[in-house]
C-alpha cells in the first residue's frame, strides 16, 4: 500500500516571499503520478500541479514548481512570489498508474500568507 | 469544476437515520469516487466506481454503501448514521487525456450527525 506523508502541519510566509512545502511518499510502484491540491476556505479542491514519475523534468505551473526526487521519494512544492490568495490547505497526493486511479492523500498542511 | 454537483451541500441528521448523498456528473466519465475529509486525516477513499453497477471498496468503507445505476450518478448511503460519520464528503471523477490522469472534485457535502 502507498502512503503519503506531509510532516509540516502548518506554515506561514510573508507576501511576495518563496515557500516550500514538503511531501514524501512510499511505494513499490514504478509508474505513478503525484499531485498537489489546494483547498482554500471555500472548501473546493483545486489541482495545482501534477508530476508523472517517468519524467525527470520537474513540473512547473506559473508560480508553482515541484522538486521531484524519485529515488528519495520526495515531492516538494515551491510557491514563488506568494500571494494572499495562496492561503489554503495544501494536500500532496499519489496515484498509481493504470487500474482504478485512486488517490492517496497526505494529511495536509495549512499555509498562511501574511500581508 | 468538470460538471460535478453534489446534493445536498449541507445536512444535519440524527444518529441511526439513513442518509443518501448524491453525486452527479455531466461528462460521462467512467470513474467516480467518494472521499471523506476529516481534520488530521486528509481525504480518504470510501468507495469508487469504474462503471455502471461496478463498484469497489476504499480505505474507509465500513458503514457505507454505494450504488451507480446510471453513468452520471453515484450515490453514497449511510444505512444508519453515526456521529463518527460527521465529516465533509467529496465526490470526484477521473479524467484521462492521452497519458494524463487527473481527478476533479465536486464542491463537497458537510454532514453532521447528532
Amino acid at each position: 500500500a502507498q502512503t503519503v506523508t506531509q510532516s509540516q502541519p502548518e506554515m506561514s510566509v510573508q507576501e511576495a516571499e518563496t515557500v516550500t512545502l514538503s511531501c514524501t511518499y512510499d511505494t513499490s510502484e514504478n509508474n505513478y503520478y503525484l499531485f498537489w491540491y489546494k483547498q482554500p476556505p471555500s472548501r473546493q479542491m483545486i489541482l495545482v500541479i501534477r508530476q508523472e514519475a517517468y519524467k525527470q523534468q520537474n513540473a512547473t505551473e506559473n508560480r508553482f514548481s515541484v522538486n521531484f526526487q524519485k529515488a528519495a521519494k520526495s515531492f516538494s512544492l515551491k510557491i514563488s512570489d506568494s500571494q494572499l490568495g495562496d492561503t489554503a490547505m495544501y494536500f500532496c497526493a499519489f496515484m498509481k498508474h493504470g487500474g482504478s486511479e485512486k488517490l492517496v492523500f497526505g494529511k495536509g498542511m495549512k499555509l498562511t500568507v501574511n500581508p | 469544476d468538470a460538471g460535478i454537483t453534489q446534493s445536498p451541500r449541507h445536512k444535519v441528521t440524527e444518529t441511526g437515520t439513513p442518509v443518501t448523498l448524491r453525486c452527479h456528473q455531466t461528462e460521462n466519465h467512467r470513474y467516480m469516487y467518494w472521499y471523506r475529509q476529516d481534520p488530521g486525516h486528509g481525504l480518504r477513499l470510501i468507495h469508487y466506481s469504474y462503471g455502471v453497477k461496478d463498484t469497489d471498496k476504499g480505505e474507509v468503507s465500513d458503514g457505507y454503501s454505494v450504488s451507480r445505476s446510471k453513468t452520471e450518478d453515484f450515490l453514497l448511503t449511510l444505512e444508519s448514521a453515526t456521529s463518527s460519520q460527521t465529516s465533509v464528503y467529496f465526490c470526484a471523477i477521473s479524467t484521462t487525456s492521452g497519458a494524463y490522469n487527473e481527478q476533479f472534485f465536486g464542491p463537497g457535502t458537510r454532514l453532521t450527525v447528532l
Side-chain angles (χ1 to χ4, degrees), chain A residues 43-108:
Chain A
R43 204 168 66 198
Q44 182 68 46
M45 292 290 288
I46 302 166
L47 179 63
V48 174
I49 199 165
R50 175 193 57 238
Q51 175 78 41
E52 294 87 352
Y54 63 86
K55 288 187 176 180
Q56 291 189 333
Q57 185 174 5
N58 290 323
T60 299
E61 290 286 343
N62 300 314
R63 298 182 296 108
F64 299 89
S65 62
V66 299
N67 182 4
F68 173 50
Q69 302 289 329
K70 190 173 184 180
K73 297 180 181 175
S74 172
F75 183 61
S76 61
L77 174 69
K78 185 171 80 171
I79 306 174
S80 303
D81 186 26
S82 297
Q83 301 176 358
L84 297 179
D86 295 333
T87 293
M89 286 289 295
Y90 286 82
F91 295 94
C92 180
F94 172 101
M95 178 193 289
K96 175 184 169 183
H97 177 71
S100 60
E101 303 178 355
K102 297 176 286 186
L103 280 171
V104 176
F105 284 88
K107 294 182 178 181

Side-chain angles (χ1 to χ4, degrees), chain A residues 33 35 37 39 43-45 47 50 52 54-55 91 95 99-103 105-107, chain B residues 9 31 33 35 37 40 42-43 45 48 90 94 96 99-103 105 107-108 110:
Chain A
Y33 303 93
F35 304 85
Y37 280 87
Q39 186 181 46
R43 204 168 66 198
Q44 182 68 46
M45 292 290 288
L47 179 63
R50 175 193 57 238
E52 294 87 352
Y54 63 86
K55 288 187 176 180
F91 295 94
M95 178 193 289
S100 60
E101 303 178 355
K102 297 176 286 186
L103 280 171
F105 284 88
K107 294 182 178 181
Chain B
R9 294 292 312 279
Y31 286 97
Y33 309 83
Y35 294 89
Q37 181 180 14
L43 280 77
L45 182 67
Y48 67 99
F90 285 96
S94 182
T96 302
Y100 300 105
N101 296 276
E102 294 185 22
Q103 280 194 20
F105 288 78
R110 180 175 292 279

Side-chain angles (χ1 to χ4, degrees), chain B residues 56-97:
Chain B
D56 205 348
K57 296 179 179 180
E59 177 187 357
V60 290
S61 60
D62 287 348
Y64 301 95
S65 62
V66 290
S67 65
R68 192 169 179 198
S69 59
K70 300 184 291 185
T71 299
E72 58 266 34
D73 289 326
F74 191 31
L75 304 181
L76 176 70
T77 297
L78 291 65
E79 300 289 349
S80 178
T82 67
S83 58
S84 64
Q85 294 176 311
T86 291
S87 187
V88 179
Y89 292 86
F90 285 96
C91 174
I93 58 92
S94 182
T95 68
T96 302
S97 175

